[in-house]
Every structure is written in C-alpha cells, then in structure tokens.
Amino acid sequence: MSAEVTVDVDQGVAVITLNRPDRLNAYTAEMGALLSRAYRDCDEDDDVRVIVVTGAGRAFCAGADFSADTSPFEAPDEPSTFSASPITPAAFELRKPVIAAVNGHAIGIGLTIALQADIRIVADEAKYGVVQVRRGVLPDCMAHWTLAQLTTLGVAADILLTGRTFGGAEAVALGIASRATSAEQVLDHAVMMASDIAANVAPMSAALCKRLLWDSAIKSYTPRQVASLETQLHQRVMGGADAREGVAAFLERRPPRFTARVSDDWAALPEP
C-alpha cells in the first residue's frame, strides 16, 4: 500500500490506517482508491477475520483536501467518471466486520466513510460533522441512507441539513457511535473488540450475519422475509464443522478452532 493508506494484519485483525497525519488525514482521490483496494484485499483474505479502520496522528480524517491548486468541489472534467461514493466496496458491503476507530476529528467525508462501518468507537474530545451543505455541496458516501439507518430520519435531518459539528458524547447519544473514550484509548478499544471477534466468532457465521443485517435494510425486507432467510441460513450451517466446533469449544471451555473459509465456501444469500 502507498504511504497514504497502510494495512497491518495481526492475529486475524487488519488495521487499515489513513496515513496523512501532517494533513490531518485529509481525503484525496488516491486515498479513496487505496482504501477501496484495502477493503477488497482484506475481504478476500481468510487470515483477516475483522477490519479496523483508523487515522494516523490526532485526526481520523479532517475532510476533503483543499491544499491542491484545484478545489475538490470544482466541476469534474469528466462527469461520467465522478462518483459521490468513491469508496467501493463500502464497508457495509464487505463480509468481514468493520470497526471504525475514529481516533480524532472526522469531518465531511471523514465522517461519512466511518458511517459505512458496522461499529464506531469515537474520541470524546474530537469534533464530528457532515458539513458539506456548509461548503455548497451535498453529503456523500451514501450518508443520506447510512445515517438514517443508524439513527432516525429526524436525527439524519438534523445532522445533514445543518452541517453542524458535535462531540463524542453526542455521537453516542444520537446512535452514531457505540462508545466514546479518550482519543488515546480509541484504537486500543477497537482492536480489543476486533480481537475478541477474530478469536471467538465463526467467520462464516459473521459473514452471513452481517450480510443479512445490511441486506435487510438495503432491500427493505419484511420481518417474515428475514425469518425465511434466517431459516435458510441456519440450514446452511447447522450440523457443519464450525457448528460442531463452536459447541465443543464452549463445553470444553477452550478457544474455538473454526475451519470454514469465506473465500472458498461463500455463497450469496438466497432470496426470501
């Protein structure tokens, strides 16, 4: 990976770091392309059970980079190649759990990238905001959908239409984040959570659970449709090696040794 994004894998946890600390990890097109590639690579790597995305230094991502001669909000030379959702795949489209360790300020696209993760740990003292309407453009990275899914339509309207900033405690109160800690503890807490998942959660179970969770929102499944899919997916894993191993490890009070490989054994979810 380029210096703008680094990836470190240890004991099933991949830590992806936005790495422009001298610019508060301000977002560039190169950074977006590298983050997308890192997501794809980690999703295909069976040695990766969980992904943690964080920022180097004292910020997660301070938003778009305005240091270049051309503003990132200028009309694109090739409109057909422009996307307001440049991270592909989005974190919620992966099969691995993704935890955003939001270790400092996350503004604009910095926050909308984090909103695509499954879980967010934020810093108490940092500032957060989807400020694009104050810059004459619109929120990006599917924030009109992710924020409404994570919170409520009313909260999403408050955050997106005002472009205001808020702190870690309010992020938790609004349902945007799971927990707020001191900035120094954010990454450690996220990695501890990721390590627990990597050691104790069956990777295929996590993949199926995550896809069903997000697909239920994306496709607006009814409760009975979810029940049908839960039944079909149970039948896919019940009686399998990992189901037997999970029970045996629990009864024998030892760490499980799951063997299913998402890269080899994955099959897309059926229709309800």
Side-chain angles (χ1 to χ4, degrees):
M1 283 286 159
S2 158
E4 287 198 10
V5 173
T6 64
V7 182
D8 179 63
V9 181
D10 183 38
Q11 297 184 23
V13 178
V15 177
I16 301 174
T17 304
L18 309 179
N19 189 40
R20 301 182 71 217
D22 55 321
R23 298 292 306 166
L24 298 181
N25 303 316
Y27 177 88
T28 65
E30 174 72 4
M31 177 184 284
L34 290 167
L35 178 57
S36 299
R37 175 182 158 193
Y39 278 167
R40 288 192 297 270
D41 290 349
C42 289
D43 202 46
E44 291 295 331
D45 186 350
D46 287 312
D47 289 335
V48 174
R49 298 284 188 88
V50 189
I51 299 166
V52 174
V53 59
T54 193
R58 58 192 180 92
F60 179 77
C61 173
D65 187 1
F66 292 100
S67 65
D69 293 337
T70 303
S71 168
F73 297 157
E74 288 291 333
D77 293 333
E78 295 292 337
S80 62
T81 64
F82 170 77
S83 173
S85 295
I87 312 303
T88 304
F92 62 77
E93 294 175 312
L94 305 178
R95 295 168 296 185
K96 313 290 176 71
V98 180
I99 303 171
V102 189
N103 55 299
H105 304 315
I107 303 296
I109 196 170
L111 183 55
T112 59
I113 287 172
L115 291 174
Q116 295 184 338
D118 302 302
I119 300 167
R120 277 153 298 285
I121 311 298
V122 300
D124 272 316
E125 58 271 38
K127 292 295 182 184
Y128 308 99
V130 185
V131 301
Q132 283 88 329
V133 292
R134 296 188 178 218
R135 309 291 184 262
V137 290
L138 276 75
D140 47 36
C141 290
M142 311 179 210
H144 296 84
W145 181 80
T146 56
L147 195 51
Q149 291 297 323
L150 295 171
T151 60
T152 66
L153 187 61
V155 170
D158 173 7
I159 299 304
L160 298 180
L161 296 179
T162 67
R164 68 181 180 87
T165 58
F166 48 91
E170 187 175 2
V172 174
L174 292 173
I176 293 170
S178 299
R179 180 170 299 186
T181 72
S182 67
E184 294 77 15
Q185 295 177 322
V186 167
L187 181 58
D188 287 344
H189 185 85
V191 170
M192 180 176 65
M193 181 183 295
S195 297
D196 177 62
I197 296 171
N200 296 301
V201 174
M204 185 61 72
S205 297
L208 293 172
C209 178
K210 173 171 175 170
R211 287 274 36 91
L212 180 54
L213 177 68
W214 284 101
D215 283 3
S216 297
I218 294 167
K219 301 180 181 181
S220 299
Y221 289 148
T222 67
R224 281 297 167 189
Q225 287 177 313
V226 172
S228 172
L229 284 168
E230 286 177 342
T231 299
Q232 293 179 67
L233 295 176
H234 267 88
Q235 291 171 343
R236 186 182 294 185
V237 297
M238 291 173 75
D242 281 357
R244 294 192 297 271
E245 171 61 14
V247 173
F250 171 72
L251 294 176
E252 296 166 14
R253 298 183 179 182
R254 60 170 175 79
R257 297 182 291 272
F258 297 117
T259 55
R261 296 173 62 85
V262 174
S263 64
D264 294 334
D265 303 330
W266 175 257
L269 269 61
E271 292 300 316

